Amino acid sequence: MSRLRDNINGSSKNFRKMLGNSFITIPGVYSGISALIAERVGFRSIYLSGSGIAGMMGLPDLSITTLDEVVREAGNITSISRLPLIVDCDTGFGEPLNVMRTVRLMERAGVAAIHIEDQELPKKCGHLNGKKIVPAEDFIAKIRAAKEASKDPNFSLIARTDARSVGGLDDAIERSREYLKAGADIIFTEALENPEEFKEMRKKVNGYLMANMTEFGKSPLLSVDELKEIGYDMVIFPLTAFRSILKNTEQIYSDLYKQGTQRNFIDKLMTRSQYYELIGYSEYEDEDYLLASRKNK
Ligand SMILES: C[C@](O)(C(=O)O)[C@H](CC(=O)O)C(=O)O
Ligand SMILES: [Mg+2]
């Protein structure tokens, strides 16, 4: 079967099936190839990080990437991996009308779920100081617009609240409840500061909850087991692989620059055959009708 897959009409349904049935652990991916690695390792769902997309372009996570760029990357990934993809849509790329278009394009790209957040533009990483949030009513208008625009009954809308770092935990709890009432399917509780806050959220919010275990931020690095125990439904590890790519790339470039050869660290590289196997090189060749017709002559 072809590696060029058609994810449309399937992945959102698969994601829905997982919701509430078992805890979902979701690593950040940045490209088709990282999605293939996540799939091979055994993950059942993947996350396209806004910071990761921007970072891959050498840009900061200040919502300066465009809807077009993010949809294109999402579509690249869904054409390669069948795993349900969740996409970070920042503030939805604008006001409610923009959010509607965002939902339509993401659904067409075969995305299972998106998250939008209640920050003002220019948004920031949720774990930095100095964020500003919009009034709850304004964000509720975006949630309603997103639900109105959605045509795929299995598409999930994740509402992220950044309120913990601005108005405090009670505001984050209150907003989470209102966002669920407005139609959000899942709440992304950004930048909680200790396990007790995660427990409090769980106790007071009656809906699916997503945790963000990004490194070097405001939240303690709770494990999957700890989050399960608290009663969360899913967790993203948005930048774990990305940060490792950065560190490894820096090391490799520096060794290559100093040594002028890769002979001393060749064992750190994925071999040609391992890479071809991962990417399904021979499967593409087997499917190449032109090659096949020439062989048969
Ligand atoms: C989850 C996040 O939105 C992302 O873009 O991956 C970021 C992650 C980060 O910057 O560490 C966020 O938490 O705002
Ligand atoms: Mg983000």
Side-chain angles (χ1 to χ4, degrees), residues 9-261:
N9 303 323
S11 86
S12 58
K13 199 166 176 187
N14 291 339
F15 185 69
R16 280 279 170 162
K17 277 193 212 143
M18 289 178 216
L19 252 185
N21 278 324
S22 59
F23 188 88
I24 318 172
T25 306
I26 313 162
V29 300
Y30 320 98
S31 55
I33 194 72
S34 58
L36 282 183
I37 297 174
E39 185 169 341
R40 166 192 283 222
V41 163
F43 287 108
R44 295 179 306 143
S45 176
I46 46 182
Y47 175 72
L48 182 56
S49 151
S51 180
I53 296 186
M56 277 293 182
M57 295 189 220
L59 293 170
D61 184 19
L62 289 166
S63 63
I64 48 182
T65 46
T66 64
L67 170 59
D68 235 30
E69 288 168 332
V70 179
V71 167
R72 193 180 323 132
E73 198 51 58
N76 287 342
I77 293 171
T78 57
S79 72
I80 290 297
S81 168
R82 275 218 195 83
L83 296 184
L85 176 67
I86 299 171
V87 178
D88 179 353
C89 289
D90 291 338
T91 57
F93 301 101
E95 294 304 330
L97 268 182
N98 306 79
V99 170
M100 293 179 93
R101 184 140 190 274
T102 298
V103 168
R104 290 193 185 121
L105 295 184
M106 289 294 167
E107 282 187 345
R108 269 186 26 198
V111 166
I114 62 166
H115 69 74
I116 53 173
E117 67 202 35
D118 56 6
Q119 283 199 54
E120 257 182 29
L121 279 174
K123 54 114 334 125
K124 287 180 149 200
C125 157
H127 293 256
L128 295 180
N129 294 329
K131 291 185 295 183
K132 292 198 185 80
I133 52 175
V134 296
E137 315 77 86
D138 292 6
F139 191 63
I140 285 170
K142 285 193 182 178
I143 294 176
R144 296 221 164 97
K147 294 304 282 187
E148 179 68 33
S150 175
K151 301 257 185 298
D152 172 359
N154 293 304
F155 186 76
S156 299
L157 178 70
I158 305 171
R160 160 170 151 179
T161 181
D162 281 72
R164 163 63 189 93
S165 318
V166 186
L169 188 65
D170 288 343
D171 188 27
I173 291 171
E174 186 50 36
R175 281 175 179 253
S176 300
R177 289 174 166 162
E178 287 179 33
Y179 298 168
L180 284 167
K181 245 189 260 159
D185 300 292
I186 298 162
I187 298 291
F188 174 166
T189 61
E190 180 65 315
L192 303 189
E193 298 193 3
N194 54 57
E196 284 61 48
E197 294 192 351
F198 284 86
K199 287 180 193 154
E200 193 67 5
M201 245 321 157
R202 180 62 294 172
K203 215 164 70 195
K204 301 213 166 132
V205 178
N206 190 14
Y208 296 120
L209 295 181
M210 179 164 114
N212 173 13
M213 285 299 119
T214 192
E215 300 84 7
F216 317 112
K218 290 186 186 291
S219 301
L221 295 183
L222 299 175
S223 69
V224 165
D225 285 345
E226 287 162 335
L227 287 163
K228 267 190 205 167
E229 177 72 27
I230 294 174
Y232 265 61
D233 299 281
M234 66 195 77
V235 58
I236 51 167
F237 291 92
L239 295 167
T240 313
F242 178 70
R243 293 188 212 284
S244 120
I245 291 169
L246 296 186
K247 198 151 179 179
N248 282 302
T249 305
E250 187 172 48
Q251 185 65 52
I252 286 290
Y253 281 165
S254 144
D255 290 348
L256 186 60
Y257 183 74
K258 284 188 208 133
Q259 299 176 27
T261 172

